[in-house]
Amino acid sequence: MAAVAANPAAAAEDPEPQREAVPDLESQRRQIKNGESGQERPLLAGESWFLVEQHWYKQWEVYVQGGDQDSSTFPGCINNAKLFEDQVNWCLKKGLVEGEDYVLLPAAGWHCLVSWYGLEYGQPPIERKVIELRGIYKVEVYPVELLLVRPSDTSTPHTAQFSQTDSIDLVLRTAREQFLVSPQEETRLWVRNAQGSFNRVYDTRVTVLDAALKSGQLVVMETRSKDGTWPSAQAHTMNKASKEDEDFQGQPGICGLTNLGNTCFMNSALQCLSNVPQLTEYFLKNRYLEELNFCNPLGMKGEIAEAYADLVKQAWSGHHRSIVPQMFKTKVGHFASQFLGYQQHDSQELLSFLLDGLHEDLNRVKKKEYVELCDAAGRPDQEVAQEAWQNHKRRNDSVIVDTFHGLFKSTLVCPDCGNVSVTFDPFCYLSVPLPVSHKRVMEVFFISMDPRRKPEQHRLVVPKKGKISDLCVALAKHTGVSPERMMVADVFSHRFYKIYQLEESLTTILDRDDIFVYEVSGRSAVCETMREDVILPIYLRERAQSRDYNSSYYGLILFGHPLLVSVPRDRLSWDSLYHILLYRLSRYVTKPSSDDEDDGDEKDMEDKDNIPKPGHVAGGSSQDPGPEHAGPSSGVAGGSRVPVDNLPGPSHWPQRARRKHLFTLQTVNSNGTSDRTNFSEDTHAQPYIALDWEPEMKKRYYNEVEAEGYVKHDCVGYVLKKAPVRLRECIELFTTMETLEKENPWFCPSCKQHQLATKKLDLWKLPETLIIHLKRFSYSKFSREKLDTLVEFPIRDLDFSEFVIKPQNESAPELYKYDLIAVSNHYGGLRDGHYTTFACNKDSGQWHYFDDSSVSPVTENQIESKAAYVLFYQRQDVARRRQTQPGLSDPPAPSACGSPPNSEFMDVN
């Protein structure tokens, strides 16, 4: 009920009733008091009751009880003047009390009295509604008086009265009528609260009481601008449109989205979704307003749907070259914390969240009922599929379900008891795997035992799930060195991060790891008395001035590449080891001249007490020599080609000769930073040896440029050619039977155990718009990679008829054929990348390339690329149905996606 007090006199009833129909006084009394139209009848919600001034009503009672129609007690016309504050606005006085100031009569009784006695000229009838509040019925004598204004003029409000049970929609319609808003314009309401700020009224289906509106509150009706923006939102966004932009008129939908900082993934998903014709028209025609679900506990209170609607209306207004999706980004981050901030994300993950959010915000099912999922249990597929779809629709019914949801059949077979479980499950998009190569390209550095040969870089093709031994076999083909004479290590920060065993999996090696393969002697012991070689890990360290306050402390810094050196067991002395290492370093370490030897011998004789013994560093202490960079310690005994059970500890090695050395030798741990001064606890542990250089000696005899030099083998130029795959192959792979992984077993209801069952997915029902997600990103325990395989997909006539197992309607082949309408692209790798979009405009049929705020027309032959990540296909019958609907623009000609002059097109490949 909305009672408008602008012109109350116009609502006054005829003061001259036709008196010839007046019944006798007793009949009047019974009719007003006790009849169906009498005041004793029960209240019914929604009924109209009228106020009658108490004094007049008492006079009427005296008159009818007297029984004399010519009596002087005749009450005259109904006069409610004492109930009004004034006779201009006809506002009801405050604090009136029923039975003292007025009586209430139902509508029928009121109309009878007016027809018998008339109403004082100019007075409006005081009509009030019966409302139900918490099970109690009462006449709402004092409705809520709201002050309706426009944002441009808040100083001259228009007063309107509303019942507490009236909907906010009635308030909105009253405001639209008052301010003469055309039906095509979109409006919304804001209410000023006690603090003076304005709150948005989202749900127009709630009542005035539920919205907590009070008399005297200011209600502002806002109208959406022609460019799709709301005036209230312009103050909160960065849209600073120039005069030129305000007058801009372009093709609707050809509008960029500003990158807010790593939000290209969001922009790409939004552009794809914005170019789904039926979904965009749903928002542009405001059909979403009737279906906003504000009470869905799984939804976002309608806020995601409204934020998306704002974006669509702006992008398709034709008045923007680009828009800033700041409000949408804020809403997404509010409801999905993983998208807070400005980190890079996956466009498909954002798309999945957005589709789910839009579905729940627009779900027509207000109260979801419990639905028990049933297995097929031998029933026909048609029956089970129909039951599954009906159950799905009982809980999920929205424009997203209408547009994007399909149904596939899932078949699980227990390998033990043979139990078959068949279920039909809905899907919103298809995540299809790419046929991947079982080969892998790895880059390694080969370090020969010949010191004259520089390290060689090799590019090897190895089995993706192979072992370290497979890598050695592949490298042997390039080097001629037997695989038995190779050791593989991961080098990080000048130390061995890990030394691999031959049986370890190649999946533990990441593409970014620096892998070195060392040639070793390969001689192993047949019996203990025979000669054998020991493989020693060698680190290079340089003595540096310590930052510690203790002046007796010297820091040692690792440098260069570590080595794995084969040493004959019978030459395990410090002096022999020194000459072996000097030989291995001879390519970039210069041997001292005879003069240097003489100078050194004299100096050594003077400082003979300072010559280090095993386990000590000259001039140093036994404490940790420097900061450690933690990494997994890898013992070499297991990776050695010889057993080390009989290898004497360094404390038993022969004493080093006291003569001039370029460097000193020191036993260290696997990190190369801590001294190993006590070997009594583990005499079988194989030591790591550090070559410690004085800065002056290193500068004089160590050639850093030569040490870092390497050569590239011819195989480095080899590129593993990846043959393109067709989209059809990906879909075939999606529907191929597979065995469940150990991490995801299936509980068989028959044998009551978790089983690695076989699983097969088949397509049963396809949606109007089919989203195909190409699974380019592969993650495992040890590896992450992006597959940049070229997937060939058709622009038109993608035929799914051979993949749909539901009995088909042969007379309607367009039910299984799809045309491409949008593509989300990802350029780059795992750590960084950029998302863009190709999309076909629903009005012009022209393809465009959306790169954040930049939009350019493209030709169809530019769409297919290795960057294609998410594909949007529209069913052909939907496109034809749109073209035949009234009110839509003329359908584009088939050649609309053809090539305009080449100068207008950009090369995105």
Side-chain angles (χ1 to χ4, degrees), residues 504-532:
E504 288 190 71
S505 173
L506 288 175
T507 57
T508 60
I509 299 179
L510 306 182
D511 289 338
R512 65 173 181 267
D513 292 341
D514 292 323
I515 302 301
F516 284 68
V517 181
Y518 296 87
E519 180 186 6
V520 295
S521 64
R523 291 174 295 185
S524 59
V526 177
C527 63
E528 294 185 4
T529 58
M530 291 189 63
R531 179 181 176 182
E532 60 183 33

PDB file of all heavy atoms in Angstrom, residues 504-532:
ATOM      1  N   GLU A 504      67.942 -44.107  -8.905  1.00  0.00           N
ATOM      2  CA  GLU A 504      66.996 -43.045  -8.560  1.00  0.00           C
ATOM      3  C   GLU A 504      66.263 -42.554  -9.803  1.00  0.00           C
ATOM      4  O   GLU A 504      66.764 -42.624 -10.931  1.00  0.00           O
ATOM      5  CB  GLU A 504      67.725 -41.883  -7.891  1.00  0.00           C
ATOM      6  CG  GLU A 504      68.185 -42.187  -6.476  1.00  0.00           C
ATOM      7  CD  GLU A 504      68.678 -40.946  -5.770  1.00  0.00           C
ATOM      8  OE1 GLU A 504      67.851 -40.078  -5.440  1.00  0.00           O
ATOM      9  OE2 GLU A 504      69.894 -40.847  -5.546  1.00  0.00           O
ATOM     10  N   SER A 505      65.037 -42.017  -9.583  1.00  0.00           N
ATOM     11  CA  SER A 505      64.184 -41.589 -10.694  1.00  0.00           C
ATOM     12  C   SER A 505      64.600 -40.222 -11.209  1.00  0.00           C
ATOM     13  O   SER A 505      65.019 -39.342 -10.434  1.00  0.00           O
ATOM     14  CB  SER A 505      62.726 -41.551 -10.239  1.00  0.00           C
ATOM     15  OG  SER A 505      61.910 -40.996 -11.251  1.00  0.00           O
ATOM     16  N   LEU A 506      64.459 -40.046 -12.511  1.00  0.00           N
ATOM     17  CA  LEU A 506      64.756 -38.742 -13.114  1.00  0.00           C
ATOM     18  C   LEU A 506      63.731 -37.678 -12.735  1.00  0.00           C
ATOM     19  O   LEU A 506      63.982 -36.487 -12.911  1.00  0.00           O
ATOM     20  CB  LEU A 506      64.812 -38.880 -14.637  1.00  0.00           C
ATOM     21  CG  LEU A 506      66.026 -39.619 -15.216  1.00  0.00           C
ATOM     22  CD1 LEU A 506      65.879 -39.783 -16.712  1.00  0.00           C
ATOM     23  CD2 LEU A 506      67.316 -38.870 -14.889  1.00  0.00           C
ATOM     24  N   THR A 507      62.564 -38.102 -12.234  1.00  0.00           N
ATOM     25  CA  THR A 507      61.541 -37.125 -11.858  1.00  0.00           C
ATOM     26  C   THR A 507      61.979 -36.272 -10.677  1.00  0.00           C
ATOM     27  O   THR A 507      61.398 -35.217 -10.423  1.00  0.00           O
ATOM     28  CB  THR A 507      60.220 -37.834 -11.504  1.00  0.00           C
ATOM     29  OG1 THR A 507      60.457 -38.773 -10.452  1.00  0.00           O
ATOM     30  CG2 THR A 507      59.656 -38.561 -12.707  1.00  0.00           C
ATOM     31  N   THR A 508      62.997 -36.721  -9.945  1.00  0.00           N
ATOM     32  CA  THR A 508      63.489 -35.923  -8.816  1.00  0.00           C
ATOM     33  C   THR A 508      64.329 -34.742  -9.284  1.00  0.00           C
ATOM     34  O   THR A 508      64.654 -33.869  -8.488  1.00  0.00           O
ATOM     35  CB  THR A 508      64.325 -36.792  -7.868  1.00  0.00           C
ATOM     36  OG1 THR A 508      65.445 -37.318  -8.577  1.00  0.00           O
ATOM     37  CG2 THR A 508      63.494 -37.943  -7.312  1.00  0.00           C
ATOM     38  N   ILE A 509      64.682 -34.713 -10.571  1.00  0.00           N
ATOM     39  CA  ILE A 509      65.493 -33.628 -11.116  1.00  0.00           C
ATOM     40  C   ILE A 509      64.568 -32.633 -11.813  1.00  0.00           C
ATOM     41  O   ILE A 509      63.810 -33.009 -12.716  1.00  0.00           O
ATOM     42  CB  ILE A 509      66.544 -34.163 -12.107  1.00  0.00           C
ATOM     43  CG1 ILE A 509      67.495 -35.127 -11.394  1.00  0.00           C
ATOM     44  CG2 ILE A 509      67.317 -33.011 -12.735  1.00  0.00           C
ATOM     45  CD1 ILE A 509      68.551 -35.726 -12.298  1.00  0.00           C
ATOM     46  N   LEU A 510      64.626 -31.381 -11.389  1.00  0.00           N
ATOM     47  CA  LEU A 510      63.829 -30.338 -11.998  1.00  0.00           C
ATOM     48  C   LEU A 510      64.586 -29.717 -13.163  1.00  0.00           C
ATOM     49  O   LEU A 510      65.813 -29.788 -13.245  1.00  0.00           O
ATOM     50  CB  LEU A 510      63.487 -29.264 -10.968  1.00  0.00           C
ATOM     51  CG  LEU A 510      62.809 -29.744  -9.679  1.00  0.00           C
ATOM     52  CD1 LEU A 510      62.492 -28.555  -8.780  1.00  0.00           C
ATOM     53  CD2 LEU A 510      61.546 -30.524  -9.987  1.00  0.00           C
ATOM     54  N   ASP A 511      63.828 -29.075 -14.049  1.00  0.00           N
ATOM     55  CA  ASP A 511      64.454 -28.467 -15.224  1.00  0.00           C
ATOM     56  C   ASP A 511      65.435 -27.361 -14.836  1.00  0.00           C
ATOM     57  O   ASP A 511      66.397 -27.100 -15.554  1.00  0.00           O
ATOM     58  CB  ASP A 511      63.375 -27.899 -16.153  1.00  0.00           C
ATOM     59  CG  ASP A 511      62.576 -28.999 -16.840  1.00  0.00           C
ATOM     60  OD1 ASP A 511      63.098 -30.128 -16.931  1.00  0.00           O
ATOM     61  OD2 ASP A 511      61.434 -28.727 -17.266  1.00  0.00           O
ATOM     62  N   ARG A 512      65.181 -26.719 -13.714  1.00  0.00           N
ATOM     63  CA  ARG A 512      66.057 -25.610 -13.313  1.00  0.00           C
ATOM     64  C   ARG A 512      67.321 -26.071 -12.597  1.00  0.00           C
ATOM     65  O   ARG A 512      68.187 -25.252 -12.304  1.00  0.00           O
ATOM     66  CB  ARG A 512      65.280 -24.655 -12.408  1.00  0.00           C
ATOM     67  CG  ARG A 512      64.856 -25.249 -11.076  1.00  0.00           C
ATOM     68  CD  ARG A 512      64.232 -24.185 -10.176  1.00  0.00           C
ATOM     69  NE  ARG A 512      63.833 -24.710  -8.885  1.00  0.00           N
ATOM     70  CZ  ARG A 512      62.636 -25.169  -8.599  1.00  0.00           C
ATOM     71  NH1 ARG A 512      61.702 -25.172  -9.559  1.00  0.00           N
ATOM     72  NH2 ARG A 512      62.331 -25.613  -7.394  1.00  0.00           N
ATOM     73  N   ASP A 513      67.437 -27.354 -12.284  1.00  0.00           N
ATOM     74  CA  ASP A 513      68.605 -27.849 -11.561  1.00  0.00           C
ATOM     75  C   ASP A 513      69.839 -27.848 -12.471  1.00  0.00           C
ATOM     76  O   ASP A 513      69.746 -28.102 -13.684  1.00  0.00           O
ATOM     77  CB  ASP A 513      68.349 -29.276 -11.048  1.00  0.00           C
ATOM     78  CG  ASP A 513      67.296 -29.314  -9.957  1.00  0.00           C
ATOM     79  OD1 ASP A 513      67.031 -28.253  -9.364  1.00  0.00           O
ATOM     80  OD2 ASP A 513      66.726 -30.393  -9.712  1.00  0.00           O
ATOM     81  N   ASP A 514      71.009 -27.588 -11.873  1.00  0.00           N
ATOM     82  CA  ASP A 514      72.289 -27.656 -12.595  1.00  0.00           C
ATOM     83  C   ASP A 514      72.872 -29.052 -12.372  1.00  0.00           C
ATOM     84  O   ASP A 514      73.370 -29.368 -11.285  1.00  0.00           O
ATOM     85  CB  ASP A 514      73.254 -26.583 -12.077  1.00  0.00           C
ATOM     86  CG  ASP A 514      72.791 -25.178 -12.432  1.00  0.00           C
ATOM     87  OD1 ASP A 514      72.238 -25.007 -13.536  1.00  0.00           O
ATOM     88  OD2 ASP A 514      72.964 -24.264 -11.613  1.00  0.00           O
ATOM     89  N   ILE A 515      72.808 -29.875 -13.414  1.00  0.00           N
ATOM     90  CA  ILE A 515      73.231 -31.269 -13.317  1.00  0.00           C
ATOM     91  C   ILE A 515      74.607 -31.423 -13.957  1.00  0.00           C
ATOM     92  O   ILE A 515      74.822 -31.050 -15.113  1.00  0.00           O
ATOM     93  CB  ILE A 515      72.208 -32.201 -13.988  1.00  0.00           C
ATOM     94  CG1 ILE A 515      70.825 -32.013 -13.345  1.00  0.00           C
ATOM     95  CG2 ILE A 515      72.656 -33.647 -13.883  1.00  0.00           C
ATOM     96  CD1 ILE A 515      70.797 -32.301 -11.855  1.00  0.00           C
ATOM     97  N   PHE A 516      75.537 -31.980 -13.182  1.00  0.00           N
ATOM     98  CA  PHE A 516      76.889 -32.263 -13.665  1.00  0.00           C
ATOM     99  C   PHE A 516      77.086 -33.772 -13.656  1.00  0.00           C
ATOM    100  O   PHE A 516      76.720 -34.450 -12.676  1.00  0.00           O
ATOM    101  CB  PHE A 516      77.935 -31.596 -12.761  1.00  0.00           C
ATOM    102  CG  PHE A 516      78.064 -30.116 -12.967  1.00  0.00           C
ATOM    103  CD1 PHE A 516      77.041 -29.251 -12.615  1.00  0.00           C
ATOM    104  CD2 PHE A 516      79.224 -29.577 -13.527  1.00  0.00           C
ATOM    105  CE1 PHE A 516      77.160 -27.896 -12.806  1.00  0.00           C
ATOM    106  CE2 PHE A 516      79.353 -28.212 -13.714  1.00  0.00           C
ATOM    107  CZ  PHE A 516      78.323 -27.366 -13.357  1.00  0.00           C
ATOM    108  N   VAL A 517      77.663 -34.268 -14.742  1.00  0.00           N
ATOM    109  CA  VAL A 517      77.984 -35.691 -14.845  1.00  0.00           C
ATOM    110  C   VAL A 517      79.512 -35.815 -14.911  1.00  0.00           C
ATOM    111  O   VAL A 517      80.151 -35.251 -15.812  1.00  0.00           O
ATOM    112  CB  VAL A 517      77.347 -36.339 -16.080  1.00  0.00           C
ATOM    113  CG1 VAL A 517      77.679 -37.820 -16.130  1.00  0.00           C
ATOM    114  CG2 VAL A 517      75.831 -36.132 -16.064  1.00  0.00           C
ATOM    115  N   TYR A 518      80.089 -36.536 -13.954  1.00  0.00           N
ATOM    116  CA  TYR A 518      81.548 -36.641 -13.828  1.00  0.00           C
ATOM    117  C   TYR A 518      82.022 -38.003 -14.318  1.00  0.00           C
ATOM    118  O   TYR A 518      81.418 -39.036 -13.997  1.00  0.00           O
ATOM    119  CB  TYR A 518      81.963 -36.449 -12.364  1.00  0.00           C
ATOM    120  CG  TYR A 518      81.651 -35.080 -11.818  1.00  0.00           C
ATOM    121  CD1 TYR A 518      80.406 -34.807 -11.251  1.00  0.00           C
ATOM    122  CD2 TYR A 518      82.598 -34.057 -11.867  1.00  0.00           C
ATOM    123  CE1 TYR A 518      80.113 -33.557 -10.738  1.00  0.00           C
ATOM    124  CE2 TYR A 518      82.306 -32.800 -11.354  1.00  0.00           C
ATOM    125  CZ  TYR A 518      81.070 -32.549 -10.801  1.00  0.00           C
ATOM    126  OH  TYR A 518      80.785 -31.303 -10.293  1.00  0.00           O
ATOM    127  N   GLU A 519      83.105 -37.971 -15.087  1.00  0.00           N
ATOM    128  CA  GLU A 519      83.756 -39.221 -15.483  1.00  0.00           C
ATOM    129  C   GLU A 519      84.667 -39.669 -14.342  1.00  0.00           C
ATOM    130  O   GLU A 519      85.463 -38.881 -13.808  1.00  0.00           O
ATOM    131  CB  GLU A 519      84.574 -39.023 -16.753  1.00  0.00           C
ATOM    132  CG  GLU A 519      85.275 -40.301 -17.213  1.00  0.00           C
ATOM    133  CD  GLU A 519      86.213 -40.070 -18.387  1.00  0.00           C
ATOM    134  OE1 GLU A 519      86.407 -38.899 -18.779  1.00  0.00           O
ATOM    135  OE2 GLU A 519      86.768 -41.076 -18.898  1.00  0.00           O
ATOM    136  N   VAL A 520      84.503 -40.925 -13.941  1.00  0.00           N
ATOM    137  CA  VAL A 520      85.352 -41.506 -12.893  1.00  0.00           C
ATOM    138  C   VAL A 520      86.022 -42.746 -13.458  1.00  0.00           C
ATOM    139  O   VAL A 520      85.709 -43.199 -14.562  1.00  0.00           O
ATOM    140  CB  VAL A 520      84.526 -41.839 -11.630  1.00  0.00           C
ATOM    141  CG1 VAL A 520      83.974 -40.569 -10.997  1.00  0.00           C
ATOM    142  CG2 VAL A 520      83.402 -42.800 -11.963  1.00  0.00           C
ATOM    143  N   SER A 521      86.968 -43.322 -12.684  1.00  0.00           N
ATOM    144  CA  SER A 521      87.770 -44.427 -13.220  1.00  0.00           C
ATOM    145  C   SER A 521      86.944 -45.683 -13.439  1.00  0.00           C
ATOM    146  O   SER A 521      87.193 -46.444 -14.366  1.00  0.00           O
ATOM    147  CB  SER A 521      88.930 -44.723 -12.263  1.00  0.00           C
ATOM    148  OG  SER A 521      88.415 -45.178 -11.018  1.00  0.00           O
ATOM    149  N   GLY A 522      85.977 -45.919 -12.562  1.00  0.00           N
ATOM    150  CA  GLY A 522      85.134 -47.089 -12.741  1.00  0.00           C
ATOM    151  C   GLY A 522      85.753 -48.383 -12.299  1.00  0.00           C
ATOM    152  O   GLY A 522      85.160 -49.460 -12.462  1.00  0.00           O
ATOM    153  N   ARG A 523      86.980 -48.366 -11.726  1.00  0.00           N
ATOM    154  CA  ARG A 523      87.627 -49.602 -11.277  1.00  0.00           C
ATOM    155  C   ARG A 523      87.100 -49.989  -9.901  1.00  0.00           C
ATOM    156  O   ARG A 523      87.121 -49.187  -8.981  1.00  0.00           O
ATOM    157  CB  ARG A 523      89.141 -49.421 -11.224  1.00  0.00           C
ATOM    158  CG  ARG A 523      89.780 -49.277 -12.592  1.00  0.00           C
ATOM    159  CD  ARG A 523      91.245 -48.968 -12.477  1.00  0.00           C
ATOM    160  NE  ARG A 523      91.465 -47.640 -11.853  1.00  0.00           N
ATOM    161  CZ  ARG A 523      92.660 -47.095 -11.737  1.00  0.00           C
ATOM    162  NH1 ARG A 523      93.733 -47.752 -12.166  1.00  0.00           N
ATOM    163  NH2 ARG A 523      92.806 -45.910 -11.176  1.00  0.00           N
ATOM    164  N   SER A 524      86.627 -51.170  -9.774  1.00  0.00           N
ATOM    165  CA  SER A 524      86.092 -51.634  -8.496  1.00  0.00           C
ATOM    166  C   SER A 524      86.875 -52.846  -8.027  1.00  0.00           C
ATOM    167  O   SER A 524      87.526 -53.532  -8.802  1.00  0.00           O
ATOM    168  CB  SER A 524      84.607 -51.997  -8.641  1.00  0.00           C
ATOM    169  OG  SER A 524      84.459 -53.008  -9.609  1.00  0.00           O
ATOM    170  N   ALA A 525      86.819 -53.114  -6.740  1.00  0.00           N
ATOM    171  CA  ALA A 525      87.601 -54.200  -6.138  1.00  0.00           C
ATOM    172  C   ALA A 525      86.962 -55.551  -6.386  1.00  0.00           C
ATOM    173  O   ALA A 525      85.767 -55.728  -6.209  1.00  0.00           O
ATOM    174  CB  ALA A 525      87.730 -53.961  -4.651  1.00  0.00           C
ATOM    175  N   VAL A 526      87.771 -56.519  -6.845  1.00  0.00           N
ATOM    176  CA  VAL A 526      87.319 -57.909  -6.945  1.00  0.00           C
ATOM    177  C   VAL A 526      87.599 -58.616  -5.634  1.00  0.00           C
ATOM    178  O   VAL A 526      86.819 -59.388  -5.121  1.00  0.00           O
ATOM    179  CB  VAL A 526      88.010 -58.626  -8.110  1.00  0.00           C
ATOM    180  CG1 VAL A 526      87.600 -60.094  -8.165  1.00  0.00           C
ATOM    181  CG2 VAL A 526      87.702 -57.926  -9.418  1.00  0.00           C
ATOM    182  N   CYS A 527      88.751 -58.346  -5.060  1.00  0.00           N
ATOM    183  CA  CYS A 527      89.065 -58.824  -3.717  1.00  0.00           C
ATOM    184  C   CYS A 527      89.805 -57.708  -2.999  1.00  0.00           C
ATOM    185  O   CYS A 527      90.260 -56.752  -3.612  1.00  0.00           O
ATOM    186  CB  CYS A 527      89.908 -60.099  -3.773  1.00  0.00           C
ATOM    187  SG  CYS A 527      91.530 -59.868  -4.536  1.00  0.00           S
ATOM    188  N   GLU A 528      89.940 -57.827  -1.711  1.00  0.00           N
ATOM    189  CA  GLU A 528      90.484 -56.739  -0.921  1.00  0.00           C
ATOM    190  C   GLU A 528      91.935 -56.433  -1.257  1.00  0.00           C
ATOM    191  O   GLU A 528      92.418 -55.342  -1.025  1.00  0.00           O
ATOM    192  CB  GLU A 528      90.357 -57.082   0.562  1.00  0.00           C
ATOM    193  CG  GLU A 528      88.916 -57.145   1.030  1.00  0.00           C
ATOM    194  CD  GLU A 528      88.835 -57.373   2.511  1.00  0.00           C
ATOM    195  OE1 GLU A 528      89.895 -57.398   3.165  1.00  0.00           O
ATOM    196  OE2 GLU A 528      87.711 -57.531   3.029  1.00  0.00           O
ATOM    197  N   THR A 529      92.637 -57.398  -1.792  1.00  0.00           N
ATOM    198  CA  THR A 529      94.065 -57.179  -2.067  1.00  0.00           C
ATOM    199  C   THR A 529      94.297 -56.509  -3.403  1.00  0.00           C
ATOM    200  O   THR A 529      95.403 -56.054  -3.665  1.00  0.00           O
ATOM    201  CB  THR A 529      94.803 -58.540  -2.054  1.00  0.00           C
ATOM    202  OG1 THR A 529      94.221 -59.407  -3.035  1.00  0.00           O
ATOM    203  CG2 THR A 529      94.687 -59.182  -0.676  1.00  0.00           C
ATOM    204  N   MET A 530      93.258 -56.473  -4.239  1.00  0.00           N
ATOM    205  CA  MET A 530      93.445 -55.864  -5.559  1.00  0.00           C
ATOM    206  C   MET A 530      93.351 -54.352  -5.472  1.00  0.00           C
ATOM    207  O   MET A 530      92.753 -53.814  -4.556  1.00  0.00           O
ATOM    208  CB  MET A 530      92.394 -56.390  -6.538  1.00  0.00           C
ATOM    209  CG  MET A 530      92.585 -57.867  -6.902  1.00  0.00           C
ATOM    210  SD  MET A 530      91.504 -58.354  -8.223  1.00  0.00           S
ATOM    211  CE  MET A 530      92.077 -57.324  -9.551  1.00  0.00           C
ATOM    212  N   ARG A 531      93.932 -53.698  -6.458  1.00  0.00           N
ATOM    213  CA  ARG A 531      93.932 -52.244  -6.494  1.00  0.00           C
ATOM    214  C   ARG A 531      92.528 -51.732  -6.808  1.00  0.00           C
ATOM    215  O   ARG A 531      91.820 -52.285  -7.622  1.00  0.00           O
ATOM    216  CB  ARG A 531      94.910 -51.770  -7.575  1.00  0.00           C
ATOM    217  CG  ARG A 531      94.958 -50.260  -7.715  1.00  0.00           C
ATOM    218  CD  ARG A 531      95.925 -49.869  -8.803  1.00  0.00           C
ATOM    219  NE  ARG A 531      95.932 -48.445  -9.030  1.00  0.00           N
ATOM    220  CZ  ARG A 531      96.672 -47.834  -9.952  1.00  0.00           C
ATOM    221  NH1 ARG A 531      97.470 -48.551 -10.719  1.00  0.00           N
ATOM    222  NH2 ARG A 531      96.624 -46.525 -10.100  1.00  0.00           N
ATOM    223  N   GLU A 532      92.141 -50.665  -6.147  1.00  0.00           N
ATOM    224  CA  GLU A 532      90.847 -50.042  -6.404  1.00  0.00           C
ATOM    225  C   GLU A 532      91.000 -48.539  -6.253  1.00  0.00           C
ATOM    226  O   GLU A 532      91.976 -48.055  -5.686  1.00  0.00           O
ATOM    227  CB  GLU A 532      89.796 -50.553  -5.421  1.00  0.00           C
ATOM    228  CG  GLU A 532      90.154 -50.271  -3.966  1.00  0.00           C
ATOM    229  CD  GLU A 532      89.130 -50.840  -3.019  1.00  0.00           C
ATOM    230  OE1 GLU A 532      88.556 -51.888  -3.323  1.00  0.00           O
ATOM    231  OE2 GLU A 532      88.905 -50.198  -1.979  1.00  0.00           O
TER     232      GLU A 532
END
